[in-house]
Amino acid sequence: MLKTPLPHETDGSAMMSTPSHSPEAKISARGVDVFYGETHAIKNISIDIQPNAVISFIGPSGCGKSTFLRCFNRMNDVIANCRVTGTIQLEDQNIYDPSVDVVELRAQMGMVFQKPNPFPKSIYDNVAYGPRIHGLAESKADLDEIVATSLQRAGLWDEVKDRLDAIGSGLSGGQQQRLCIARAIAVSPTVLLMDEPCSALDPIATAIIEELITELSQQLTIVIVTHSMQQAARISQKTAYFHMGELVEMGDTATIFTRPSNPQTEAYISGKIG
């Protein structure tokens, strides 16, 4: 299990140079570094993500945006040679504290991946899986309600309500991705992490997912990695630009795309680098 150094385990200069966590932020990261063996993949990133908003991570392939995203629900823990330092707080809790239950953390921070990955189960059982594991339903009626509500919130209910016993992998690609979103939100997370959720989808399915993201952001904090600057401009209030493992610039999406303050950001936005 990964362990972030506690304050007494770091030197004083590092503590003095790292800004304090923001009490208003839903997620607050300070001085985060990620290493794959000797490779320094993420370099001293500090960021605040506000509640009930959509923030997009953009940047060239291999810039570290997905690696940083996976720090939030400790998915990097499963990589044998990966080491994370610094602190990340979900509200007022350091998520790398040894006392944190990683299973519970991942329920709080649901994740949707690049390719739809429904379980080899029925549509119903895909959505019911998390609530069963976490004991969120006291009866079959409770579970039925959670499944129906989650599918409704994911914009999939009307398409599948008459075939809940059908295998989830039999749905179209866009429907599978919405099923995975329903599965993620069935355990009532407060954060939804999305790693290029539309990259394998056609434009119509992408538009449906983008509309869904906008709707869900009224109740959830959503962090999305996207290779599409157009998508970031359409759906996010904040945008963060990454380059070679560093956070170059973060700000209001409109400002990032029209008046970036960093020449590197401007070069990427304008297509001079990529």
Side-chain angles (χ1 to χ4, degrees), residues 51-237:
N52 300 104
V54 181
I55 177 170
S56 291
F57 290 174
I58 65 171
S61 296
C63 68
K65 53 190 185 292
S66 291
T67 294
F68 186 56
L69 182 80
R70 291 195 299 268
C71 291
F72 294 157
N73 66 347
R74 294 182 53 172
M75 287 295 292
N76 290 321
D77 286 23
V78 303
I79 302 173
N81 66 341
C82 185
R83 178 167 55 93
V84 180
T85 63
T87 60
I88 299 175
Q89 289 189 194
L90 176 61
E91 296 180 341
D92 60 353
Q93 183 177 40
N94 176 8
I95 68 168
Y96 281 91
D97 188 279
S99 65
V100 169
D101 183 327
V102 178
V103 174
E104 292 295 332
L105 172 68
R106 291 174 185 157
Q108 289 182 271
M109 291 199 185
M111 189 160 190
V112 178
F113 296 91
Q114 182 173 358
K115 293 182 179 180
N117 60 340
F119 298 147
K121 298 175 180 288
S122 69
I123 294 169
Y124 182 98
D125 286 337
N126 262 273
V127 183
Y129 181 83
R132 283 180 176 139
I133 292 295
H134 294 280
L136 301 181
E138 294 184 0
S139 66
K140 178 64 163 56
D142 288 343
L143 191 59
D144 290 347
E145 182 176 353
I146 292 172
V147 170
T149 300
S150 301
L151 288 168
Q152 288 164 358
R153 292 180 69 195
L156 192 57
W157 174 251
D158 288 341
E159 297 166 51
V160 303
K161 61 184 179 182
D162 297 323
R163 49 177 176 145
L164 294 178
D165 291 334
I167 193 78
S169 58
L171 298 172
S172 70
Q175 290 173 324
Q176 286 185 38
Q177 195 65 299
R178 281 183 283 152
L179 177 60
C180 292
I181 292 172
R183 185 178 68 196
I185 64 178
V187 292
S188 300
T190 59
V191 177
L192 188 60
L193 309 175
M194 310 185 86
D195 193 357
E196 301 203 29
C198 301
S199 64
L201 304 181
D202 61 52
I204 293 175
T206 294
I208 293 171
I209 295 293
E210 288 182 359
E211 183 178 351
L212 175 58
I213 290 170
T214 299
E215 292 174 1
L216 290 174
S217 67
Q218 297 176 31
Q219 291 90 33
L220 300 172
T221 301
I222 298 177
V223 188
I224 178 171
V225 168
T226 177
H227 67 282
S228 169
M229 288 185 283
Q230 293 83 3
Q231 182 173 75
R234 286 192 296 264
I235 65 172
S236 57
Q237 290 79 50

Side-chain angles (χ1 to χ4, degrees), residues 232-250:
R234 286 192 296 264
I235 65 172
S236 57
Q237 290 79 50
K238 299 283 187 181
T239 296
Y241 171 60
F242 291 77
H243 185 74
M244 296 184 69
E246 297 182 349
L247 174 60
V248 176
E249 183 173 359
M250 174 182 164

